[in-house]
Every structure is written in C-alpha cells, then in structure tokens.
Amino acid sequence: MKKLETRQDIEHLVNSFYDKVVHDETIGFFFNDVAKVNWDNHLPKMYAFWESVLFGQMTYKGNPMGAHFPINEVHAMEKQHFERWLELWISTIEEEFTGENADMAVYKAQNIAKLMAFKMELARRL
Ligand code: HEM
C-alpha cells in the first residue's frame, strides 16, 4: 500500500475509479448514456479537482455542483446512486492507497456526495 501523494497517484486513482464506474449497473448509465461523457475532457478535470481538494493546488476551475443539475434533470440522481458512487470511490482508494490523503479523499467525497444528494433532491422539488 502506498500513500496518495503525487499527481500521478491521483491520475491513477481517478482512472481506476472510472474503469469501475463505466461498467457499473447502478450508475454507469449516467456517464455512458445520460451525459455521454467526453473522457478526454472529463478526466483532466477530475485530476485537477482532486489535486485541488487534496493538495490545495488550485488547478481546478469549475463548478462541481452545477455540472450535475442538467444530469439530474434528465434522470434523477438519487440516494442509491450516491451510495454506489461512494462505494466505488472508497473501494478504489482502499485497494491501493493508505494514509492521511487517502482518508481525506474518502472524507471529502462523503461530504460532497451528501451535499450534492441534498441539492439534487431539492432541485427536483422546485
Ligand atoms: C451519483 C453520483 C454521481 C454521478 C452519476 C456523477 C456524474 C457526473 C457526470 C455525468 C459528469 C459530467 C461529465 C461530462 O459531462 O463531461 C460529472 C462531472 C463532475 N463530477 Fe460527478 N457525479 C456524481 C457524483 C460526484 C461526486 C460525489 C463528486 C465529488 C466528490 C463529483 C465530482 C464531479 C466533478 C468535479 C465534475 C466535473 C465538473 C466540471 O465540469 O467542472 N461527482 N459527474
């Protein structure tokens, strides 16, 4: 097990995570069918996002919440989807990484997912 400490580690983690996501029965369709993700665009954004969150390098300039509202409008992003997202994220981290940043990557994702789930539900009620 190694520490999560370089940009290369982040790229590896994010790539391994999305390898699981695209094949996942519960949430894969959001990426493959709803958003029809352009991976050449999306992956570098995610590397920058996690680099900013974990290393404080402000390379990500985007709106992580805002990006999800249009997806939520096409198909409701619900509790079970966030649970599955987290399950895949946490298992990917735990397979290869340990230490403070690995713990932080779990903790931050849990908080963001919780807030995102709340905002998506609220948006559906308005
Ligand atoms: C059920 C849960 C989730 C689903 C289905 C989902 C799906 C997506 C999709 C389809 C995109 C857009 C990709 C594109 O059009 O190129 C996206 C972007 C993004 N997601 Fe998620 N997401 C989920 C949860 C999360 C969580 C918990 C986080 C953060 C911890 C997160 C962080 C981001 C970021 C940073 C972007 C890029 C936004 C930008 O354009 O700058 N997502 N997500």
Side-chain angles (χ1 to χ4, degrees):
M1 289 287 227
K2 72 182 293 308
K3 287 186 179 170
L4 180 51
E5 51 194 359
T6 65
R7 163 80 183 201
Q8 217 183 354
D9 293 337
I10 292 209
E11 291 185 11
H12 180 73
L13 169 63
V14 168
N15 292 343
S16 309
F17 170 66
Y18 283 111
D19 277 349
K20 292 183 180 158
V21 166
V22 292
H23 296 110
D24 189 71
E25 278 186 15
T26 310
I27 61 168
F29 72 93
F30 280 113
F31 298 84
N32 302 324
D33 306 322
V34 177
K36 296 190 175 66
V37 170
N38 175 337
W39 294 101
D40 292 339
N41 279 336
H42 184 57
L43 290 174
K45 276 191 212 168
M46 298 312 290
Y47 305 150
F49 174 75
W50 283 108
E51 195 171 45
S52 301
V53 170
L54 295 177
F55 306 155
Q57 309 212 341
M58 301 315 283
T59 45
Y60 175 76
K61 296 189 177 57
N63 176 359
M65 282 301 158
H68 297 82
F69 289 110
I71 299 161
N72 185 51
E73 274 177 27
V74 178
H75 192 292
M77 292 172 69
E78 293 180 295
K79 192 165 175 270
Q80 75 268 19
H81 301 124
F82 286 99
E83 281 169 1
R84 184 62 182 153
W85 190 104
L86 279 173
E87 219 169 75
L88 294 177
W89 180 247
I90 294 169
S91 67
T92 312
I93 293 170
E94 286 180 347
E95 272 159 25
E96 294 193 58
F97 295 102
T98 184
E100 219 170 278
N101 283 337
D103 292 345
M104 190 55 79
V106 170
Y107 176 74
K108 292 277 188 182
Q110 284 168 331
N111 281 339
I112 297 168
K114 198 169 173 184
L115 183 64
M116 201 182 278
F118 173 73
K119 290 198 172 195
M120 295 306 133
E121 195 184 331
L122 203 63
R124 290 198 299 275
R125 291 184 189 187
L126 292 175

